[in-house]
Amino acid sequence: GRVEATGRGVQYALREFFREPQDVSRAGLSGSLDGKKIIVQGLGNVGHHAAKFLSEEDGSLIIGIIERDGALFNGKGLDVEAVRSWINEKGGIIGFPDAEFSEDGAAFLEMECDVLIPAALEGVINVNNASKIKAPLIIEAANGPITASGDEILKEKGSVIIPDMYANAGGV
């Protein structure tokens, strides 16, 4: 279980969040993880396992995957394992079938979704884009994906952030 531990921890943190109706309501959401639209930034070890478990076990729809060479979108949900296999075989997401491709992966951080999972890079949400983030719930699967200034902007907007120190501690 060591390989998938951090991604599993992200899943468990979200499950616990959705067990508390007051927290879910604070994020402007309702219900459970089932059917929630999720965008994942980074399909490395953590992002892959979080997306895999959330889609296969909790019924979440992974509608967007952001990678270094662009982003994929499918409003009905992406097959996480198929995307991962494509990346392993081709070295990137370009040409993946059954999804819309965009070269501007960073713009996908700003797309409408229920949950945004930055799972790759530090500082991807910052003073330049925080005001454009539409996700009401962000779970930090990477280390420090939201800068201090970005965090202040998101809090002012009412976004709920599950911090990295809690969310990605599964591997520890």
Side-chain angles (χ1 to χ4, degrees), residues 5-169:
T6 306
R8 179 70 78 186
V10 170
Q11 176 198 27
Y12 287 172
L14 280 171
R15 281 183 174 178
E16 288 304 309
F17 178 86
F18 276 92
R19 285 179 47 166
E20 294 297 326
Q22 194 171 18
D23 293 340
V24 176
S25 176
R26 190 170 149 242
L29 298 170
S30 62
S32 67
L33 281 165
D34 188 37
K36 292 296 181 276
K37 294 179 179 183
I38 298 176
I39 294 177
V40 179
Q41 181 260 335
L43 207 63
N45 185 46
V46 177
H48 166 243
H49 286 102
K52 171 185 170 63
F53 298 142
L54 288 165
S55 63
E56 292 177 1
E57 299 174 8
D58 296 304
S60 299
L61 298 174
I62 308 303
I63 62 166
I65 294 174
I66 305 166
E67 269 296 311
R68 59 181 169 69
D69 58 339
L72 298 174
F73 175 80
N74 184 326
K76 295 179 182 176
L78 292 158
D79 180 337
V80 175
E81 289 303 297
V83 174
R84 177 69 174 212
S85 293
W86 185 271
I87 291 169
N88 288 340
E89 183 181 321
K90 308 285 185 182
I93 59 171
I94 295 173
F96 181 79
D98 303 324
E100 296 174 37
F101 172 79
S102 172
E103 289 181 11
D104 187 7
F108 273 59
L109 291 168
E110 302 165 10
M111 287 184 65
E112 286 193 30
C113 63
D114 297 310
V115 181
L116 177 61
I117 306 177
L121 301 172
E122 186 175 357
V124 294
I125 299 174
N126 52 59
V127 70
N128 298 318
N129 64 359
S131 64
K132 300 174 197 162
I133 302 294
K134 294 177 185 73
L137 176 60
I138 302 167
I139 182 164
E140 294 183 309
N143 293 324
I146 303 173
T147 65
S149 55
D151 188 73
E152 285 182 32
I153 293 167
L154 290 167
K155 284 180 184 172
E156 286 175 19
K157 287 177 48 173
S159 301
V160 175
I161 302 165
I162 300 174
D164 55 356
M165 188 175 285
Y166 171 71
N168 75 15

